[in-house]
Each structure stands twice: as C-alpha cells, then as structure tokens.
PDB file of all heavy atoms in Angstrom:
ATOM      1  N   TYR A   1       0.859  -1.181   0.000  1.00  0.00           N
ATOM      2  CA  TYR A   1       0.000   0.000   0.000  1.00  0.00           C
ATOM      3  C   TYR A   1       0.893   1.228   0.000  1.00  0.00           C
ATOM      4  O   TYR A   1       2.099   1.145   0.251  1.00  0.00           O
ATOM      5  CB  TYR A   1      -0.947   0.004   1.206  1.00  0.00           C
ATOM      6  CG  TYR A   1      -0.248  -0.179   2.542  1.00  0.00           C
ATOM      7  CD1 TYR A   1       0.315   0.899   3.224  1.00  0.00           C
ATOM      8  CD2 TYR A   1      -0.156  -1.439   3.123  1.00  0.00           C
ATOM      9  CE1 TYR A   1       0.955   0.732   4.439  1.00  0.00           C
ATOM     10  CE2 TYR A   1       0.486  -1.627   4.336  1.00  0.00           C
ATOM     11  CZ  TYR A   1       1.030  -0.538   4.989  1.00  0.00           C
ATOM     12  OH  TYR A   1       1.667  -0.705   6.196  1.00  0.00           O
ATOM     13  N   TYR A   2       0.279   2.383  -0.258  1.00  0.00           N
ATOM     14  CA  TYR A   2       1.063   3.603  -0.439  1.00  0.00           C
ATOM     15  C   TYR A   2       0.498   4.720   0.440  1.00  0.00           C
ATOM     16  O   TYR A   2      -0.400   5.455   0.033  1.00  0.00           O
ATOM     17  CB  TYR A   2       1.065   4.005  -1.926  1.00  0.00           C
ATOM     18  CG  TYR A   2       1.631   2.922  -2.803  1.00  0.00           C
ATOM     19  CD1 TYR A   2       0.805   1.948  -3.356  1.00  0.00           C
ATOM     20  CD2 TYR A   2       3.001   2.830  -3.037  1.00  0.00           C
ATOM     21  CE1 TYR A   2       1.321   0.927  -4.137  1.00  0.00           C
ATOM     22  CE2 TYR A   2       3.528   1.806  -3.818  1.00  0.00           C
ATOM     23  CZ  TYR A   2       2.683   0.867  -4.358  1.00  0.00           C
ATOM     24  OH  TYR A   2       3.207  -0.152  -5.121  1.00  0.00           O
ATOM     25  N   ASP A   3       1.006   4.788   1.655  1.00  0.00           N
ATOM     26  CA  ASP A   3       0.645   5.842   2.604  1.00  0.00           C
ATOM     27  C   ASP A   3       1.685   6.947   2.479  1.00  0.00           C
ATOM     28  O   ASP A   3       2.845   6.758   2.865  1.00  0.00           O
ATOM     29  CB  ASP A   3       0.605   5.299   4.028  1.00  0.00           C
ATOM     30  CG  ASP A   3      -0.539   4.309   4.247  1.00  0.00           C
ATOM     31  OD1 ASP A   3      -1.383   4.193   3.338  1.00  0.00           O
ATOM     32  OD2 ASP A   3      -0.586   3.671   5.309  1.00  0.00           O
ATOM     33  N   ILE A   4       1.274   8.082   1.958  1.00  0.00           N
ATOM     34  CA  ILE A   4       2.202   9.172   1.653  1.00  0.00           C
ATOM     35  C   ILE A   4       2.059  10.291   2.679  1.00  0.00           C
ATOM     36  O   ILE A   4       0.973  10.860   2.852  1.00  0.00           O
ATOM     37  CB  ILE A   4       1.948   9.739   0.239  1.00  0.00           C
ATOM     38  CG1 ILE A   4       1.947   8.601  -0.799  1.00  0.00           C
ATOM     39  CG2 ILE A   4       2.997  10.778  -0.103  1.00  0.00           C
ATOM     40  CD1 ILE A   4       3.224   7.824  -0.864  1.00  0.00           C
ATOM     41  N   GLY A   5       3.143  10.600   3.363  1.00  0.00           N
ATOM     42  CA  GLY A   5       3.148  11.714   4.300  1.00  0.00           C
ATOM     43  C   GLY A   5       3.358  13.026   3.567  1.00  0.00           C
ATOM     44  O   GLY A   5       4.132  13.100   2.614  1.00  0.00           O
ATOM     45  N   VAL A   6       2.660  14.056   4.021  1.00  0.00           N
ATOM     46  CA  VAL A   6       2.779  15.388   3.425  1.00  0.00           C
ATOM     47  C   VAL A   6       3.171  16.363   4.532  1.00  0.00           C
ATOM     48  O   VAL A   6       2.423  16.554   5.490  1.00  0.00           O
ATOM     49  CB  VAL A   6       1.463  15.831   2.765  1.00  0.00           C
ATOM     50  CG1 VAL A   6       1.606  17.230   2.181  1.00  0.00           C
ATOM     51  CG2 VAL A   6       1.050  14.854   1.673  1.00  0.00           C
ATOM     52  N   ALA A   7       4.359  16.934   4.421  1.00  0.00           N
ATOM     53  CA  ALA A   7       4.834  17.858   5.453  1.00  0.00           C
ATOM     54  C   ALA A   7       3.998  19.131   5.442  1.00  0.00           C
ATOM     55  O   ALA A   7       3.796  19.748   4.397  1.00  0.00           O
ATOM     56  CB  ALA A   7       6.304  18.193   5.222  1.00  0.00           C
ATOM     57  N   VAL A   8       3.504  19.522   6.624  1.00  0.00           N
ATOM     58  CA  VAL A   8       2.645  20.692   6.762  1.00  0.00           C
ATOM     59  C   VAL A   8       3.166  21.543   7.918  1.00  0.00           C
ATOM     60  O   VAL A   8       3.461  21.018   8.996  1.00  0.00           O
ATOM     61  CB  VAL A   8       1.182  20.277   7.032  1.00  0.00           C
ATOM     62  CG1 VAL A   8       0.306  21.516   7.225  1.00  0.00           C
ATOM     63  CG2 VAL A   8       0.644  19.429   5.897  1.00  0.00           C
ATOM     64  N   GLY A   9       3.280  22.829   7.694  1.00  0.00           N
ATOM     65  CA  GLY A   9       3.674  23.734   8.767  1.00  0.00           C
ATOM     66  C   GLY A   9       2.517  23.999   9.694  1.00  0.00           C
ATOM     67  O   GLY A   9       1.462  24.472   9.261  1.00  0.00           O
ATOM     68  N   GLY A  10       2.682  23.661  10.980  1.00  0.00           N
ATOM     69  CA  GLY A  10       1.623  23.870  11.965  1.00  0.00           C
ATOM     70  C   GLY A  10       1.971  24.971  12.939  1.00  0.00           C
ATOM     71  O   GLY A  10       3.051  25.555  12.900  1.00  0.00           O
ATOM     72  N   GLY A  11       1.033  25.242  13.836  1.00  0.00           N
ATOM     73  CA  GLY A  11       1.245  26.297  14.820  1.00  0.00           C
ATOM     74  C   GLY A  11       2.371  25.999  15.778  1.00  0.00           C
ATOM     75  O   GLY A  11       2.987  26.907  16.337  1.00  0.00           O
ATOM     76  N   LYS A  12       2.684  24.713  16.010  1.00  0.00           N
ATOM     77  CA  LYS A  12       3.730  24.321  16.952  1.00  0.00           C
ATOM     78  C   LYS A  12       4.967  23.763  16.253  1.00  0.00           C
ATOM     79  O   LYS A  12       5.903  23.354  16.900  1.00  0.00           O
ATOM     80  CB  LYS A  12       3.176  23.274  17.927  1.00  0.00           C
ATOM     81  CG  LYS A  12       1.988  23.738  18.739  1.00  0.00           C
ATOM     82  CD  LYS A  12       2.354  24.870  19.684  1.00  0.00           C
ATOM     83  CE  LYS A  12       1.167  25.260  20.551  1.00  0.00           C
ATOM     84  NZ  LYS A  12       1.478  26.362  21.470  1.00  0.00           N
ATOM     85  N   GLY A  13       4.958  23.739  14.927  1.00  0.00           N
ATOM     86  CA  GLY A  13       6.098  23.203  14.203  1.00  0.00           C
ATOM     87  C   GLY A  13       5.650  22.348  13.035  1.00  0.00           C
ATOM     88  O   GLY A  13       4.465  22.198  12.765  1.00  0.00           O
ATOM     89  N   LEU A  14       6.627  21.779  12.352  1.00  0.00           N
ATOM     90  CA  LEU A  14       6.343  20.955  11.182  1.00  0.00           C
ATOM     91  C   LEU A  14       5.742  19.623  11.599  1.00  0.00           C
ATOM     92  O   LEU A  14       6.258  18.945  12.477  1.00  0.00           O
ATOM     93  CB  LEU A  14       7.630  20.712  10.398  1.00  0.00           C
ATOM     94  CG  LEU A  14       7.486  19.973   9.075  1.00  0.00           C
ATOM     95  CD1 LEU A  14       6.862  20.884   8.034  1.00  0.00           C
ATOM     96  CD2 LEU A  14       8.845  19.487   8.601  1.00  0.00           C
ATOM     97  N   VAL A  15       4.634  19.242  10.972  1.00  0.00           N
ATOM     98  CA  VAL A  15       4.021  17.945  11.208  1.00  0.00           C
ATOM     99  C   VAL A  15       3.862  17.241   9.866  1.00  0.00           C
ATOM    100  O   VAL A  15       3.814  17.878   8.821  1.00  0.00           O
ATOM    101  CB  VAL A  15       2.652  18.071  11.916  1.00  0.00           C
ATOM    102  CG1 VAL A  15       2.823  18.618  13.317  1.00  0.00           C
ATOM    103  CG2 VAL A  15       1.707  18.965  11.117  1.00  0.00           C
ATOM    104  N   VAL A  16       3.784  15.915   9.898  1.00  0.00           N
ATOM    105  CA  VAL A  16       3.696  15.134   8.658  1.00  0.00           C
ATOM    106  C   VAL A  16       2.508  14.175   8.752  1.00  0.00           C
ATOM    107  O   VAL A  16       2.679  12.985   9.049  1.00  0.00           O
ATOM    108  CB  VAL A  16       4.998  14.355   8.385  1.00  0.00           C
ATOM    109  CG1 VAL A  16       4.937  13.694   7.011  1.00  0.00           C
ATOM    110  CG2 VAL A  16       6.209  15.277   8.465  1.00  0.00           C
ATOM    111  N   PRO A  17       1.300  14.669   8.531  1.00  0.00           N
ATOM    112  CA  PRO A  17       0.148  13.766   8.471  1.00  0.00           C
ATOM    113  C   PRO A  17       0.227  12.884   7.231  1.00  0.00           C
ATOM    114  O   PRO A  17       0.858  13.243   6.243  1.00  0.00           O
ATOM    115  CB  PRO A  17      -1.050  14.716   8.416  1.00  0.00           C
ATOM    116  CG  PRO A  17      -0.509  15.973   7.827  1.00  0.00           C
ATOM    117  CD  PRO A  17       0.910  16.072   8.313  1.00  0.00           C
ATOM    118  N   VAL A  18      -0.414  11.737   7.299  1.00  0.00           N
ATOM    119  CA  VAL A  18      -0.275  10.718   6.260  1.00  0.00           C
ATOM    120  C   VAL A  18      -1.581  10.549   5.487  1.00  0.00           C
ATOM    121  O   VAL A  18      -2.652  10.403   6.082  1.00  0.00           O
ATOM    122  CB  VAL A  18       0.147   9.370   6.882  1.00  0.00           C
ATOM    123  CG1 VAL A  18       0.229   8.284   5.823  1.00  0.00           C
ATOM    124  CG2 VAL A  18       1.484   9.519   7.605  1.00  0.00           C
ATOM    125  N   ILE A  19      -1.470  10.567   4.171  1.00  0.00           N
ATOM    126  CA  ILE A  19      -2.606  10.259   3.298  1.00  0.00           C
ATOM    127  C   ILE A  19      -2.621   8.754   3.091  1.00  0.00           C
ATOM    128  O   ILE A  19      -1.763   8.206   2.409  1.00  0.00           O
ATOM    129  CB  ILE A  19      -2.491  10.989   1.948  1.00  0.00           C
ATOM    130  CG1 ILE A  19      -2.379  12.500   2.161  1.00  0.00           C
ATOM    131  CG2 ILE A  19      -3.681  10.670   1.058  1.00  0.00           C
ATOM    132  CD1 ILE A  19      -2.146  13.280   0.881  1.00  0.00           C
ATOM    133  N   ARG A  20      -3.591   8.082   3.703  1.00  0.00           N
ATOM    134  CA  ARG A  20      -3.644   6.622   3.646  1.00  0.00           C
ATOM    135  C   ARG A  20      -4.151   6.148   2.285  1.00  0.00           C
ATOM    136  O   ARG A  20      -5.044   6.748   1.693  1.00  0.00           O
ATOM    137  CB  ARG A  20      -4.568   6.084   4.737  1.00  0.00           C
ATOM    138  CG  ARG A  20      -4.286   6.617   6.131  1.00  0.00           C
ATOM    139  CD  ARG A  20      -2.988   6.080   6.707  1.00  0.00           C
ATOM    140  NE  ARG A  20      -2.753   6.622   8.058  1.00  0.00           N
ATOM    141  CZ  ARG A  20      -1.671   6.418   8.759  1.00  0.00           C
ATOM    142  NH1 ARG A  20      -0.697   5.666   8.256  1.00  0.00           N
ATOM    143  NH2 ARG A  20      -1.519   6.957   9.959  1.00  0.00           N
ATOM    144  N   ASN A  21      -3.581   5.042   1.824  1.00  0.00           N
ATOM    145  CA  ASN A  21      -4.019   4.404   0.577  1.00  0.00           C
ATOM    146  C   ASN A  21      -4.144   5.418  -0.552  1.00  0.00           C
ATOM    147  O   ASN A  21      -5.170   5.510  -1.233  1.00  0.00           O
ATOM    148  CB  ASN A  21      -5.344   3.678   0.784  1.00  0.00           C
ATOM    149  CG  ASN A  21      -5.252   2.555   1.807  1.00  0.00           C
ATOM    150  OD1 ASN A  21      -4.331   1.739   1.768  1.00  0.00           O
ATOM    151  ND2 ASN A  21      -6.184   2.528   2.737  1.00  0.00           N
ATOM    152  N   SER A  22      -3.086   6.163  -0.777  1.00  0.00           N
ATOM    153  CA  SER A  22      -3.115   7.220  -1.794  1.00  0.00           C
ATOM    154  C   SER A  22      -3.404   6.675  -3.184  1.00  0.00           C
ATOM    155  O   SER A  22      -3.975   7.380  -4.024  1.00  0.00           O
ATOM    156  CB  SER A  22      -1.767   7.953  -1.813  1.00  0.00           C
ATOM    157  OG  SER A  22      -1.497   8.552  -0.574  1.00  0.00           O
ATOM    158  N   GLU A  23      -3.034   5.423  -3.411  1.00  0.00           N
ATOM    159  CA  GLU A  23      -3.248   4.839  -4.737  1.00  0.00           C
ATOM    160  C   GLU A  23      -4.726   4.689  -5.078  1.00  0.00           C
ATOM    161  O   GLU A  23      -5.097   4.558  -6.247  1.00  0.00           O
ATOM    162  CB  GLU A  23      -2.548   3.478  -4.832  1.00  0.00           C
ATOM    163  CG  GLU A  23      -3.197   2.343  -4.071  1.00  0.00           C
ATOM    164  CD  GLU A  23      -2.878   2.303  -2.576  1.00  0.00           C
ATOM    165  OE1 GLU A  23      -2.258   3.274  -2.077  1.00  0.00           O
ATOM    166  OE2 GLU A  23      -3.236   1.308  -1.926  1.00  0.00           O
ATOM    167  N   ARG A  24      -5.585   4.725  -4.067  1.00  0.00           N
ATOM    168  CA  ARG A  24      -7.025   4.546  -4.296  1.00  0.00           C
ATOM    169  C   ARG A  24      -7.776   5.871  -4.404  1.00  0.00           C
ATOM    170  O   ARG A  24      -8.971   5.870  -4.689  1.00  0.00           O
ATOM    171  CB  ARG A  24      -7.629   3.727  -3.154  1.00  0.00           C
ATOM    172  CG  ARG A  24      -6.988   2.369  -2.927  1.00  0.00           C
ATOM    173  CD  ARG A  24      -7.644   1.667  -1.762  1.00  0.00           C
ATOM    174  NE  ARG A  24      -6.961   0.418  -1.425  1.00  0.00           N
ATOM    175  CZ  ARG A  24      -7.304  -0.354  -0.404  1.00  0.00           C
ATOM    176  NH1 ARG A  24      -8.340  -0.006   0.375  1.00  0.00           N
ATOM    177  NH2 ARG A  24      -6.643  -1.468  -0.152  1.00  0.00           N
ATOM    178  N   LEU A  25      -7.110   6.972  -4.152  1.00  0.00           N
ATOM    179  CA  LEU A  25      -7.785   8.257  -4.075  1.00  0.00           C
ATOM    180  C   LEU A  25      -7.748   8.996  -5.405  1.00  0.00           C
ATOM    181  O   LEU A  25      -6.802   8.877  -6.180  1.00  0.00           O
ATOM    182  CB  LEU A  25      -7.146   9.122  -2.992  1.00  0.00           C
ATOM    183  CG  LEU A  25      -7.122   8.530  -1.578  1.00  0.00           C
ATOM    184  CD1 LEU A  25      -6.476   9.512  -0.611  1.00  0.00           C
ATOM    185  CD2 LEU A  25      -8.523   8.164  -1.106  1.00  0.00           C
ATOM    186  N   SER A  26      -8.778   9.795  -5.632  1.00  0.00           N
ATOM    187  CA  SER A  26      -8.828  10.658  -6.806  1.00  0.00           C
ATOM    188  C   SER A  26      -8.052  11.941  -6.530  1.00  0.00           C
ATOM    189  O   SER A  26      -7.653  12.210  -5.389  1.00  0.00           O
ATOM    190  CB  SER A  26     -10.283  10.996  -7.150  1.00  0.00           C
ATOM    191  OG  SER A  26     -10.856  11.800  -6.121  1.00  0.00           O
ATOM    192  N   PHE A  27      -7.872  12.751  -7.563  1.00  0.00           N
ATOM    193  CA  PHE A  27      -7.218  14.039  -7.388  1.00  0.00           C
ATOM    194  C   PHE A  27      -7.980  14.879  -6.366  1.00  0.00           C
ATOM    195  O   PHE A  27      -7.375  15.515  -5.496  1.00  0.00           O
ATOM    196  CB  PHE A  27      -7.138  14.778  -8.734  1.00  0.00           C
ATOM    197  CG  PHE A  27      -6.049  14.305  -9.642  1.00  0.00           C
ATOM    198  CD1 PHE A  27      -6.214  13.167 -10.416  1.00  0.00           C
ATOM    199  CD2 PHE A  27      -4.843  14.976  -9.714  1.00  0.00           C
ATOM    200  CE1 PHE A  27      -5.206  12.721 -11.253  1.00  0.00           C
ATOM    201  CE2 PHE A  27      -3.819  14.537 -10.549  1.00  0.00           C
ATOM    202  CZ  PHE A  27      -4.010  13.403 -11.323  1.00  0.00           C
ATOM    203  N   ALA A  28      -9.292  14.909  -6.486  1.00  0.00           N
ATOM    204  CA  ALA A  28     -10.114  15.725  -5.582  1.00  0.00           C
ATOM    205  C   ALA A  28      -9.991  15.242  -4.145  1.00  0.00           C
ATOM    206  O   ALA A  28      -9.882  16.047  -3.206  1.00  0.00           O
ATOM    207  CB  ALA A  28     -11.566  15.700  -6.030  1.00  0.00           C
ATOM    208  N   GLU A  29     -10.009  13.928  -3.941  1.00  0.00           N
ATOM    209  CA  GLU A  29      -9.904  13.395  -2.584  1.00  0.00           C
ATOM    210  C   GLU A  29      -8.554  13.728  -1.964  1.00  0.00           C
ATOM    211  O   GLU A  29      -8.473  14.029  -0.755  1.00  0.00           O
ATOM    212  CB  GLU A  29     -10.126  11.881  -2.614  1.00  0.00           C
ATOM    213  CG  GLU A  29     -11.555  11.479  -2.914  1.00  0.00           C
ATOM    214  CD  GLU A  29     -11.717   9.995  -3.149  1.00  0.00           C
ATOM    215  OE1 GLU A  29     -10.767   9.372  -3.692  1.00  0.00           O
ATOM    216  OE2 GLU A  29     -12.778   9.438  -2.801  1.00  0.00           O
ATOM    217  N   ILE A  30      -7.509  13.696  -2.759  1.00  0.00           N
ATOM    218  CA  ILE A  30      -6.186  14.054  -2.254  1.00  0.00           C
ATOM    219  C   ILE A  30      -6.139  15.533  -1.881  1.00  0.00           C
ATOM    220  O   ILE A  30      -5.658  15.907  -0.798  1.00  0.00           O
ATOM    221  CB  ILE A  30      -5.102  13.720  -3.289  1.00  0.00           C
ATOM    222  CG1 ILE A  30      -4.992  12.210  -3.466  1.00  0.00           C
ATOM    223  CG2 ILE A  30      -3.750  14.298  -2.864  1.00  0.00           C
ATOM    224  CD1 ILE A  30      -4.070  11.786  -4.586  1.00  0.00           C
ATOM    225  N   GLU A  31      -6.641  16.395  -2.759  1.00  0.00           N
ATOM    226  CA  GLU A  31      -6.628  17.832  -2.494  1.00  0.00           C
ATOM    227  C   GLU A  31      -7.460  18.174  -1.260  1.00  0.00           C
ATOM    228  O   GLU A  31      -7.051  19.005  -0.433  1.00  0.00           O
ATOM    229  CB  GLU A  31      -7.158  18.602  -3.704  1.00  0.00           C
ATOM    230  CG  GLU A  31      -6.262  18.548  -4.930  1.00  0.00           C
ATOM    231  CD  GLU A  31      -4.974  19.326  -4.753  1.00  0.00           C
ATOM    232  OE1 GLU A  31      -4.818  20.032  -3.744  1.00  0.00           O
ATOM    233  OE2 GLU A  31      -4.097  19.218  -5.639  1.00  0.00           O
ATOM    234  N   LEU A  32      -8.612  17.537  -1.109  1.00  0.00           N
ATOM    235  CA  LEU A  32      -9.462  17.795   0.053  1.00  0.00           C
ATOM    236  C   LEU A  32      -8.773  17.371   1.340  1.00  0.00           C
ATOM    237  O   LEU A  32      -8.843  18.070   2.358  1.00  0.00           O
ATOM    238  CB  LEU A  32     -10.795  17.062  -0.102  1.00  0.00           C
ATOM    239  CG  LEU A  32     -11.780  17.654  -1.121  1.00  0.00           C
ATOM    240  CD1 LEU A  32     -12.903  16.667  -1.416  1.00  0.00           C
ATOM    241  CD2 LEU A  32     -12.346  18.973  -0.623  1.00  0.00           C
ATOM    242  N   GLN A  33      -8.088  16.241   1.299  1.00  0.00           N
ATOM    243  CA  GLN A  33      -7.409  15.758   2.503  1.00  0.00           C
ATOM    244  C   GLN A  33      -6.230  16.652   2.873  1.00  0.00           C
ATOM    245  O   GLN A  33      -6.010  16.952   4.051  1.00  0.00           O
ATOM    246  CB  GLN A  33      -6.952  14.324   2.304  1.00  0.00           C
ATOM    247  CG  GLN A  33      -6.646  13.600   3.611  1.00  0.00           C
ATOM    248  CD  GLN A  33      -6.667  12.093   3.447  1.00  0.00           C
ATOM    249  OE1 GLN A  33      -5.756  11.526   2.886  1.00  0.00           O
ATOM    250  NE2 GLN A  33      -7.711  11.456   3.934  1.00  0.00           N
ATOM    251  N   ILE A  34      -5.484  17.089   1.872  1.00  0.00           N
ATOM    252  CA  ILE A  34      -4.352  17.983   2.145  1.00  0.00           C
ATOM    253  C   ILE A  34      -4.838  19.306   2.715  1.00  0.00           C
ATOM    254  O   ILE A  34      -4.258  19.844   3.668  1.00  0.00           O
ATOM    255  CB  ILE A  34      -3.530  18.205   0.862  1.00  0.00           C
ATOM    256  CG1 ILE A  34      -2.817  16.919   0.455  1.00  0.00           C
ATOM    257  CG2 ILE A  34      -2.508  19.321   1.064  1.00  0.00           C
ATOM    258  CD1 ILE A  34      -2.106  17.006  -0.874  1.00  0.00           C
TER     259      ILE A  34
END
C-alpha cells in the first residue's frame, strides 16, 4: 500500500500527516485531505 506523508507547517512546528491508501484516491480526494 502507499501511505504518503505530506509535510505541513503547523502552529507548533512541522508535522507530517499521512494520506492513507493514496493509490485509491482521486485528485479531488487528495486535495481535500491535504
């Protein structure tokens, strides 16, 4: 499977939330999650 972390600048520092099963998501679903 392909869980892709996306680095995001947060209020307390850099965090890397993960987009689970990215291979199954559409462009819109990825953009909405980010």
Side-chain angles (χ1 to χ4, degrees):
Y1 53 84
Y2 301 91
D3 292 351
I4 308 301
V6 179
V8 178
K12 301 295 184 181
L14 185 73
V15 294
V16 187
V18 177
I19 303 175
R20 309 290 180 185
N21 298 313
S22 299
E23 73 279 8
R24 303 179 186 177
L25 302 181
S26 66
F27 281 81
E29 290 171 327
I30 293 173
E31 292 290 352
L32 286 167
Q33 198 160 74
I34 292 174

